[in-house]
Structures are given as structure tokens and as C-alpha cells.
Amino acid sequence: MLAPRAEYAADPDRSRGRRFAEPGSPTRSEFQRDRDRIVHCTAFRRLEYKTQVFVNHEGDLYRTRLTHSLEVAQIARSVARCLGLDEDLVEAIALAHDLGHTPFGHAGQDALNECMKPWGGFEHNLQSLRVVDELEQRYAVFDGLNLCFETREGILKHCSPANARKLGELGERFLAGRQPSLEAQVANLADSIAYDNHDIDDGLRSGLLSLEALAGIRLFGRHHDAALRAHPGLSGRRLIHETIRRMIGELVTDLIGETRRRIAEAGVRSIDQVREGPALAAFSPPMREQATQLERFLNAELYRHERVSAVMSRARAIVAELFERYRSDPALLPDEHRDRVSVLGERAIADYIAGMTDRFAVREHARLTGSPWNDPGAGVLGGASEAAP
Ligand code: MG
């Protein structure tokens, strides 16, 4: 299945470059350097304490943004290697794709977007780009990580036309309907393979999803039955993991096969042709349909489960209250952030809140309001399976 570097792969020697010119490295490719810069940055370490689906303190075994990002990177690299794409670039994109996430996952982002409506809103994906372009402070002569165009292009998965117009060459493709590199397309689909599968695992672990209900979902049911046929009597956690690893395997194999087919059909031989579109990385239509059925199920049964929703509405309130407190009294902010407010206004408050981990936001909210977290899901979501292997 392995392939040599393909002619349509992104080439680190022919990158469209960094925003600030830098001398090359004697030991690493430009995309390797990007991956390394991401792993060493502060926002990357914060991912450990940011919600994927379950708030960080609810249990030690649930995915966090960090372990999610590592799983995305693993899947993306496997696919990239088979397709002859640049593995360092897909890894860099995968590790950076969620750097802009607020505390408390999508609930936090929705709340912050609501607060920021009068000042251009808040998009976590755009914020990921803002982290690597502006917010990280690690280099003597520029803000941000000064990543290559190809890495930044991959990080920016989606973007409203209004924001795209402000982003120069990086925003062009959203206005012109063009595609990013295949490395970016693969990282994007690896993201969905990772969360569809780990959310099943976390959903079952939490007790919010049942095996019986999942068995009615074709992709899961098929592999669950196959695992049982291969290992009669298998049960519990081993059966779940045996099912999930088969699902990931099939999704990855399907993605590689369909993408190869589309590349051949389109006769694509360069990254420029890749960018002209249409999208080349894709699941086959039957697999797309099954993945969609699974995603609808997770949406209804897990992400909108009343217990998850109760925790998330508390999280939304925390973010909104933090925003209002800082806005009405910037003196509550640390010096550095207060100084930024005088230059950037509300955007600086959004940057500060978006950078918070779940537990920092909870502590900061308690400090400012005197009200503790008072977790409505406590004892239901958390703790139940801490001792399980
Ligand atoms: Mg993600």
C-alpha cells in the first residue's frame, strides 16, 4: 500500500513560503519545522485541558483536544503514506487544527461567538490560524510561529466569505471555490474518522450511549457482528475496541481507495491541479452514507444528550459571564491582556478567553463571580469508569 512521494504531493522544497523569510534548516524539511514548532508551542500544551466532548474534569479516560489531535495525526499520516503525500505536512495540520478551540468545546465557541457578534464574531477555525500567525510569542523578530503557506492553508478548513476577504492569498480559495492541498483534505477527513470513532468509545464509557442503539447503526453493527463472528463470546470493552479498530480500518482503507480513484480519474499530476478542484480526498458514496448515518446518531444521542447539554449550558454561561466581566472592567485582566484591549478592543478579550483551558476558565469564573462550577452532570458523567483498563 505504501507509495513513493507523489507528483501531486506538497513539496517542502517548493513551498509558497513563510510570511517572514528565514534561512533553511540543515537537518529538517520546512514542513518538519512547522510540525516541530506546533508541538513546542504553548497553545498545543493547553489542548490537554480542553474539552473534546466531555469536560476535562469529568474523567481521566475521555478524549481531550490533545489526544483527539494525536489520533487525527496518526490517521492522517497513515493515509498520507499510502497516497505518497507529505507526512510531515499532514501531521503539522492535524496537530494544529484545533489550537483555536475555546474551553468547553463547541459550547464555549458558540457562547464566545454570540458575545463577539458586534465585533466580527468568533470562529474556532479562524482562531487556530490566529494562534499560529499572531498569538504565540516565541520568536525574537515576529509574532506567531511563522508557518509555511501550506500549513496555514490546511489549518484554515473553512471560512466565511467576509473573513476570507481579509485574509489575502490564504482566503482566495474560499472566494474562488478552489481546494487546498491533498494533505489538507486528508487531515480534514482524518479529523472526522477520529472523532466519529473515539466519540463512540467515550459515549459508551460514559454510559450515555448503549450498545443496543449503536448496533442499529450500519457501520458499527456490521463490524460488531463481524468481531463477534471472529471471536464468539467476546464481550465488554474488548468487543467495543475490536469493533472500533475494524471501523477505523475500513474507513481508512475506503478513503485511500476512493481518493486514489479520484486522483486517477482527474488525471491530477501536480499540486496546482489539486488546488483547481474538485475535492479529491473523499469516502466512496456508500461509505459516506454510512458515516453520515453514524454522525446523525452521535449528534442526536451523544452531543445533544440532556446530560451533556446541561454541562454545556453551564459552560456557555461561564464563557459569557467572563466576557462581560472583562468587558465592563478590563482591570480584571492580566496586565498584558489589558494592554491588548486598549489596542484591539473586544478581540483581545476573545483571544484571552479562547486560550483558557476548561479548568482555568472555571477557576477564573469562580474568582470573579464567587460562584463555584456546580457541575450539573457531576456524578453522572464522571468517575464511573476510572478504574477500568
Ligand atoms: Mg478536530
Side-chain angles (χ1 to χ4, degrees):
M1 288 282 268
L2 299 188
R5 174 180 290 274
E7 44 197 356
Y8 45 74
D11 183 346
D13 293 330
R14 297 200 297 176
S15 166
R16 283 167 69 170
R18 302 180 186 276
R19 295 209 293 175
F20 305 94
E22 291 185 61
S25 161
T27 53
R28 295 172 297 162
S29 81
E30 296 305 314
F31 299 150
Q32 272 183 288
R33 294 174 89 190
D34 281 7
R35 188 265 325 280
D36 299 349
R37 287 174 184 206
I38 291 158
V39 169
H40 284 272
C41 83
T42 310
F44 184 70
R45 286 191 295 283
R46 289 193 178 121
L47 295 175
E48 183 174 3
Y49 299 104
K50 292 200 182 206
T51 294
Q52 183 64 28
V53 173
F54 297 98
V55 175
N56 181 266
H57 63 255
E58 288 178 324
D60 291 349
L61 299 179
Y62 297 121
R63 267 67 175 188
T64 65
R65 286 274 158 206
L66 179 63
T67 62
H68 161 70
S69 300
L70 295 173
E71 290 181 35
V72 175
Q74 179 274 313
I75 291 167
R77 284 190 58 161
S78 292
V79 175
R81 189 173 298 190
C82 285
L83 293 174
L85 300 176
D86 191 284
E87 277 185 66
D88 299 314
L89 178 59
V90 285
E91 188 179 15
I93 295 168
L95 294 177
H97 84 284
D98 274 350
L99 288 179
H101 257 288
T102 61
F104 314 122
H106 287 281
Q109 112 119 13
D110 293 347
L112 199 51
N113 185 33
E114 200 55 45
C115 296
M116 285 294 288
K117 272 276 152 65
W119 302 284
F122 178 89
E123 297 174 18
H124 71 81
N125 193 230
L126 200 57
Q127 190 71 9
S128 296
L129 186 68
R130 202 168 155 71
V131 167
V132 300
D133 277 356
E134 292 176 49
L135 299 180
E136 282 289 327
Q137 301 174 348
R138 310 189 73 77
Y139 295 87
V141 292
F142 47 75
D143 287 335
L145 304 178
N146 197 29
L147 303 179
C148 293
F149 175 89
E150 292 76 8
T151 310
R152 298 169 61 232
E153 166 196 60
I155 291 172
L156 194 64
K157 267 194 296 205
H158 32 72
C159 182
S160 62
N163 284 323
R165 280 185 210 102
K166 297 179 206 148
L167 288 171
E169 62 170 351
L170 208 59
E172 277 168 21
R173 77 176 161 94
F174 298 98
L175 303 172
R178 289 199 302 270
Q179 299 296 321
S181 68
L182 264 163
E183 284 80 357
Q185 296 179 38
V186 163
N188 189 15
L189 289 166
D191 186 21
S192 66
I193 294 177
Y195 63 65
D196 285 348
N197 284 281
H198 65 49
D199 289 350
I200 291 175
D201 187 27
D202 285 353
L204 288 167
R205 184 186 305 283
S206 66
L208 301 188
L209 293 182
S210 74
L211 262 183
E212 294 67 33
L214 265 166
I217 303 304
R218 271 170 293 155
L219 186 58
F220 184 92
R222 201 153 40 76
H223 287 291
H224 179 261
D225 294 350
L228 271 178
R229 270 198 308 278
H231 307 282
L234 192 66
S235 66
R237 192 149 297 287
R238 282 178 197 265
L239 176 57
I240 293 167
H241 292 317
E242 188 65 38
T243 305
I244 289 174
R245 78 173 189 85
R246 286 160 185 258
M247 287 173 60
I248 295 174
E250 194 189 16
L251 284 158
V252 165
T253 308
D254 181 273
L255 172 59
I256 293 166
E258 177 68 11
T259 304
R260 274 199 180 129
R261 195 188 65 72
R262 289 186 182 210
I263 289 169
E265 192 178 87
V268 165
R269 312 208 39 188
S270 72
I271 190 168
D272 291 336
Q273 287 177 299
V274 168
R275 289 198 171 108
E276 287 308 310
L280 295 170
F283 297 114
S284 65
M287 185 56 75
R288 178 70 269 170
E289 199 188 312
Q290 291 175 65
T292 301
Q293 186 200 22
L294 170 62
E295 284 163 4
R296 289 207 181 105
F297 171 85
L298 288 171
N299 210 0
E301 303 299 319
L302 182 61
Y303 311 143
R304 294 187 193 175
H305 192 288
E306 59 177 357
R307 289 175 196 161
V308 173
S309 300
V311 176
M312 289 305 148
S313 64
R314 180 78 186 117
R316 257 191 296 276
I318 286 181
V319 168
E321 283 174 37
L322 282 174
F323 186 86
E324 278 319 313
R325 295 270 170 152
Y326 294 136
R327 202 166 101 75
S328 56
D329 184 6
L332 294 170
L333 290 159
D335 294 353
E336 177 199 348
H337 294 276
R338 189 174 49 231
D339 293 348
R340 293 185 76 240
V341 171
S342 55
V343 181
L344 297 170
E346 285 72 11
R347 182 60 57 191
I349 299 176
D351 287 339
Y352 183 51
I353 294 176
M356 292 180 180
T357 60
D358 295 355
R359 61 187 190 173
F360 183 84
V362 167
R363 277 205 302 266
E364 184 67 357
H365 181 261
R367 179 179 79 86
L368 297 182
T369 65
S371 83
W373 163 254
N374 191 19
D375 183 351
V380 180
L381 299 180
S385 48
E386 295 304 283

